[in-house]
Amino acid sequence: MELEEIQSEFQLKGCKVEKFELDNDFIALPEQEELKLSVAIKNAISDIDKIQDNILSANLKFDLEVTSKLEQNNKKLYIHILLDSFFIFEGDDKARFNEMLLLNGNATLYSIARSHIITLSALSCESGQIILPMINFVKLLEKTKQNNQKETN
C-alpha cells in the first residue's frame, strides 16, 4: 500500500520545547502506586492561516503540568512543559482543522510531552520514573465543551 493512500490531511510539521521546569524533592522515586498524580492540561491555537491554495496552518501551544506527590511527607516531583508546534491541514475547512487541532493535535503533543516526562523524571532521580496514563482526548474535549457552556450560562 502506498503511503499517500492512507496519509492524513492533518500533519505535524514541527515541535519545540518552549519552556521546561522541574522541582524535585526525591532522591529515588517511590513506586507509582504510592504517589498521588495530578495533571493540568491547557492549550492555545494561533489564528488559522491559509499558506497556499487548499493548505491551512496554525500553531498549537500545549501546556502540561504534572505533580507526583507522596502524601505522607509532602515530597513531590513537579514538571511543567510547554510545547509549541506547527500543524498543516490539506483543505479549506477551518472549523474541521480547528477540531483536528483540539483532538489530534493535543493527543499528538501529549504523547511527545509524555515521553519527555518519562525521560526527564528518570534522569532526575536515582531510580524510578513518572509514566503518565494515556488520556482519552475525545472525553477531554467533551468535558471542556461542557464546562465552557456552564461558564457562559
Side-chain angles (χ1 to χ4, degrees), residues 77-138:
L77 174 61
Y78 168 82
I79 299 175
H80 177 206
I81 188 166
L82 175 63
L83 300 177
D84 189 7
S85 61
F86 180 71
F87 286 89
I88 64 166
F89 177 76
E90 292 179 22
D92 57 4
D93 187 343
K94 286 186 177 184
R96 177 157 163 71
F97 183 33
N98 190 67
E99 285 291 316
M100 292 189 86
L101 285 164
L102 290 172
L103 187 61
N104 301 50
N106 281 317
T108 300
L109 296 181
Y110 179 77
S111 181
I112 292 168
R114 188 172 179 255
S115 68
H116 285 303
I117 288 170
I118 290 169
T119 301
L120 294 167
S121 64
L123 292 171
S124 300
C125 298
E126 174 201 19
S127 61
Q129 61 188 1
I130 302 297
I131 301 175
L132 297 177
M134 299 297 291
I135 290 183
N136 182 333
F137 277 88
V138 172

Side-chain angles (χ1 to χ4, degrees), residues 19 39-44 60-65 78-84 106 109 113:
K19 182 178 184 179
V39 174
I41 298 172
K42 294 180 247 170
N43 62 62
L60 173 62
K61 289 199 178 203
F62 184 83
D63 194 326
L64 179 64
E65 291 183 72
Y78 168 82
I79 299 175
H80 177 206
I81 188 166
L82 175 63
L83 300 177
D84 189 7
N106 281 317
L109 296 181

Side-chain angles (χ1 to χ4, degrees), residues 10 18 36 41-43 48-49 57 70 85 88 113 122 131 146 148:
F10 178 79
E18 187 171 293
K36 181 177 182 194
I41 298 172
K42 294 180 247 170
N43 62 62
I48 295 175
D49 297 315
S57 71
L70 191 59
S85 61
I88 64 166
I131 301 175
Q146 289 171 358
N148 289 344

